[in-house]
Each structure stands twice: as C-alpha cells, then as structure tokens.
Amino acid sequence: MTTRGRFITVEGGEGTGKSTLIRSLAEALEADGNSLLVTREPGGTPLAEEVRALVLSPPENEHWSALAEALLINAARADHVEKKILPALKAGEWVLCDRFADSTLVYQGAGGVSEDVLLAMQAEVTRKARPDLTLVLDGPVDKLLGRRAQRGTSDVFEARPNSFHEEVRAGFLKIAEREPGRCVIIDALQTPAAMLKDARRAVRERLVAA
Ligand code: TMP
C-alpha cells in the first residue's frame, strides 16, 4: 500500500513573499526526493482556473458579493480537491498549495460572510483533504505595501484599502492561534533565505519527524 502524501498549504496576505517561498520550498522538497505537486487556489484545474479569472478580474463595472465569491471559490476548490489534490495524495505525492480554505475564511470573512456559513462550506469541500501543515506568512501591512505596489499587478483584493488587509492579517493570525498543531507562522519581513529555513524546519519537525 502506498503511504498517503503530505498536504502543505501556504497562506498570508498580499506582499508576504508567498510565491518566492513556494518556489524555493518546492525545489528543496524535490531535492529531498519527494514527488511533489505544486498547485494554487483559486485554480489548479482547468475549470477552477476559469473561476479564478471570474473572481479576480470580473468584467468592468461588475462585482461579486462576498457570498458569491465564497460560493464560486468553494466550487473551484471542490473540483481541485476531487480531480487533483486527492489523487496526488493517494498516490503518495506531496502537495504544496498556494492558498487554500483558510484564505476563504479570512478574505470572504473580511468581506462580510459569517464564519458559520464559511465553516459549513469548508467542512464539506475539504472533508477528504485537510492540510497537514499550513505555513502562515505574516508581517505588518504597511511594511508589505511597497512589495504589493512593486509587483504592478492588481486584482480586486489587492486594490482594497489597508483596513481590509489589516483584517486579513488578523484573520490568519486567529486561525494560527486556534490550530497550533497545523499552523506555523513565518515572519515575512525576513530574507527569502531565512523564510525558507523556517519553512524547512517546520516541514522537518511537523511532517518528517512525525
Ligand atoms: P494570490 O494573489 O495569492 O494568487 O491570490 C489571489 C487572490 O485571491 C488574493 O487576493 C486572495 C484571494 N482569495 C480569496 O479571496 N479567497 C480565497 O479563498 C482564495 C484562495 C484567494
């Protein structure tokens, strides 16, 4: 029987260095000999990528309510879990996912959807695939602002005011505090190399030694 793979998610607000960390962590995990699937949310399958485009870049002058976003993102997640994440885990692969269910709880929660509704959707959609480890990249919103601006791209969430991003930061920290067995907070003001070191330590201590 193949051992089930490990499921790692990376979460955090805008400008926390998520993409850079995911790239370097993926290289490190592969160098350690793990067969690895790197994927992202919203997205990860052809259908879910269509939903991503709809949610992040709606037609001009149109906008989704936070509830509609939550429903769309969970629909995309259901497809992603069923068709990609679960088969990979069952085949013994490790899965490294750029954002997952915590992002919905935090972003759509900050948008006004009640936690009860979001948790009910999450329970059903993630029933068969819960992260073994979640790296929460955290740093002060004002300091991370510059990085966001430098990237030049802006989706509907990035364009929101600082107060929204403060709420997002607080939301992730609350989840990390509530689930210390799954979540590890990584200081996003460190150098990329130091962030990778922390991430590798978390993987070693939480997953490899487990
Ligand atoms: P990214 O910039 O990290 O690719 O994420 C895309 C945006 O989508 C980001 O601003 C956060 C948002 N998002 C949600 O609002 N809810 C979710 O469940 C997910 C996965 C992302």
Side-chain angles (χ1 to χ4, degrees), residues 11-14 18-19 40-43 52 55-56 69-70 73-74 77 98-108 151 155-158 160 164-165:
E11 300 276 11
E14 321 293 328
K18 219 161 31 67
S19 308
R40 69 169 181 183
E41 290 216 342
R52 179 186 179 93
V55 172
L56 298 188
E69 284 169 2
I73 291 170
N74 271 293
R77 180 164 303 132
D98 183 343
R99 299 194 182 280
F100 194 61
D102 296 324
S103 278
T104 317
L105 208 55
V106 166
Y107 280 83
Q108 280 59 55
R151 273 206 327 204
D155 60 41
V156 288
F157 298 101
E158 285 174 85
R160 290 192 183 168
F164 179 82
H165 295 287

Side-chain angles (χ1 to χ4, degrees), residues 4 16 23 63 109 127 138-139 142 157 160 165 167 170 189:
R4 189 181 161 104
T16 47
R23 262 196 308 276
H63 93 280
R127 198 161 35 93
D138 175 68
D142 54 348
F157 298 101
R160 290 192 183 168
H165 295 287
E167 218 175 309
L189 291 183

Side-chain angles (χ1 to χ4, degrees), residues 74 105 114-126:
N74 271 293
L105 208 55
S114 85
E115 193 170 64
D116 287 353
V117 168
L118 293 170
L119 284 173
M121 282 193 250
Q122 182 189 81
E124 189 55 31
V125 174
T126 66

Side-chain angles (χ1 to χ4, degrees), residues 99-187:
R99 299 194 182 280
F100 194 61
D102 296 324
S103 278
T104 317
L105 208 55
V106 166
Y107 280 83
Q108 280 59 55
V113 185
S114 85
E115 193 170 64
D116 287 353
V117 168
L118 293 170
L119 284 173
M121 282 193 250
Q122 182 189 81
E124 189 55 31
V125 174
T126 66
R127 198 161 35 93
K128 295 181 197 154
R130 298 236 171 82
D132 300 297
L133 172 66
T134 297
L135 304 173
V136 177
L137 313 193
D138 175 68
V141 169
D142 54 348
K143 292 236 169 70
L144 299 173
L145 252 182
R147 293 190 191 173
R148 258 166 56 205
Q150 266 171 22
R151 273 206 327 204
T153 54
S154 179
D155 60 41
V156 288
F157 298 101
E158 285 174 85
R160 290 192 183 168
N162 273 15
S163 55
F164 179 82
H165 295 287
E166 293 287 2
E167 218 175 309
V168 163
R169 181 186 189 198
F172 282 124
L173 290 175
K174 188 172 145 196
I175 293 173
E177 197 173 301
R178 199 160 63 195
E179 293 184 64
R182 169 172 70 89
C183 300
V184 172
I185 297 171
I186 293 185
D187 177 0

